[in-house]
Amino acid sequence: MQLTVAEAIAVQEDLRRHVVTTDDTSPAPRYVAGLDVAYDGDEYAAAVVVLEVIRAATVELQEVDRAVVRGRTAFPYVPGLFAFREVPGLVAALERLRVTPELLVCDGQGLAHPRRFGLACHLGVVTGLPSLGVGKTAFVGEWQEPGTARGEASELVLDGEVVGKVLRTQNKTKPVFVSVGHRVSLGTAVERVLELAPRYRLPETTRAADRACRDGLAER
DNA sequence: GCGACAG
DNA sequence: ATCTTGTCGC
């Protein structure tokens, strides 16, 4: 790896100062992106899929753009430094988009991180775009099991501070861990995730990006 | 010191 | 993340 663990932590401590945890005065996003990376040894395929959110009687989600970039891993998976492994490929994919997303839905945590600077915060700060994190499992913090109905949530607390929400996106399914990335409030983040997960546990953005990076890795 | 540890 | 088939349920 080009960066040492100590250097990477220093970068996080520096970049975290730029995180904005409130909503900007813009309407609900029309273009929302899902981002994910798949691996095969030290080879990876990073994907970004942009969905247009059509709000009518029911929310409709249509893919309008996508970009998949392949590359070679330059940083190992280190808990707490996950972003250094995924950001290069994801930023490269974002640069290839024709449609600029108004919200990045990341695979992992945002503020729910030991230094309050998980992947979602990192991607938001380096791109300047609003972002939020949706983790499939917990990383840090304490919480109570939320109610079993879609929409019910409980606070994710770390050192006495609310760093996210444990949110049930579908009845009787395992909850997901939502946290702020950049330029969105926690309440809005939860609202966006529910809107993007009308049918399954994970947001459609996440599902689309997951499929895209797997497919990208498969074609060799 | 021991274990836990996003993907 | 990845290793991996069938199977129960809506």
Side-chain angles (χ1 to χ4, degrees), chain A residues 65-80:
Chain A
D65 195 11
R66 75 159 60 192
V68 181
V69 169
R70 297 192 50 129
R72 204 168 276 283
T73 308
F75 205 90
Y77 168 69
V78 179

Side-chain angles (χ1 to χ4, degrees), chain A residues 1 3 22-23 25 38 41 44 49 67 81 90 125 151-152 162 186:
Chain A
M1 61 181 112
L3 218 57
T22 53
D23 295 311
T25 59
Y44 69 69
V49 178
L81 299 180
L90 292 175
V125 168
E152 298 207 77
V162 176
L186 182 54

Side-chain angles (χ1 to χ4, degrees), chain A residues 6 8 15 70 95 100 145 183 191 205 214:
Chain A
L15 294 180
R70 297 192 50 129
E95 289 171 343
T100 301
E145 199 65 22
R183 296 174 58 192
E191 196 179 311
T205 36
R214 278 180 209 263

Side-chain angles (χ1 to χ4, degrees), chain A residues 9-205:
Chain A
I9 289 175
V11 168
Q12 293 183 323
E13 296 289 9
D14 176 44
L15 294 180
R16 64 181 289 193
R17 298 177 300 120
H18 303 298
V19 173
V20 172
T21 66
T22 53
D23 295 311
D24 9 275
T25 59
S26 47
R30 175 177 179 187
Y31 298 117
V32 184
L35 306 84
D36 196 13
V37 184
Y39 300 87
D40 176 20
D42 56 357
E43 293 241 328
Y44 69 69
V48 181
V49 178
V50 183
L51 303 184
E52 175 177 3
V53 183
I54 301 163
R55 302 183 180 79
T58 66
V59 178
E60 198 177 317
L61 304 165
Q62 299 247 305
E63 177 174 336
V64 292
D65 195 11
R66 75 159 60 192
V68 181
V69 169
R70 297 192 50 129
R72 204 168 276 283
T73 308
F75 205 90
Y77 168 69
V78 179
L81 299 180
F82 177 51
F84 291 88
R85 180 175 174 79
E86 307 229 320
V87 163
L90 292 175
V91 167
L94 281 166
E95 289 171 343
R96 292 199 180 190
L97 292 176
R98 268 35 180 176
V99 178
T100 301
E102 298 161 297
L103 176 68
L104 304 181
V105 178
C106 310
D107 224 6
Q109 321 291 331
L111 291 179
H113 175 279
R115 288 172 292 282
R116 312 293 194 280
F117 198 70
L119 175 66
C121 297
H122 200 133
L123 278 170
V125 168
V126 302
T127 62
L129 298 171
S131 66
L132 63 84
V134 178
K136 294 183 283 294
T137 62
F139 180 32
V140 295
E142 305 177 327
W143 72 94
Q144 295 296 307
E145 199 65 22
T148 61
R150 165 179 160 86
E152 298 207 77
S154 55
E155 297 183 326
L156 178 59
V157 180
L158 179 60
D159 300 325
E161 186 183 342
V162 176
V163 295
K165 289 277 199 175
V166 183
L167 175 69
R168 198 83 66 179
T169 55
Q170 294 299 325
N171 298 332
K172 292 171 288 178
T173 58
K174 281 175 49 176
V176 295
F177 298 76
V178 179
S179 55
V180 167
H182 186 48
R183 296 174 58 192
V184 286
S185 66
L186 182 54
T188 297
V190 166
E191 196 179 311
R192 295 278 79 84
V193 171
L194 280 175
E195 177 177 69
L196 294 168
R199 165 125 199 233
Y200 299 104
R201 176 189 176 231
L202 297 177
E204 290 304 316
T205 36

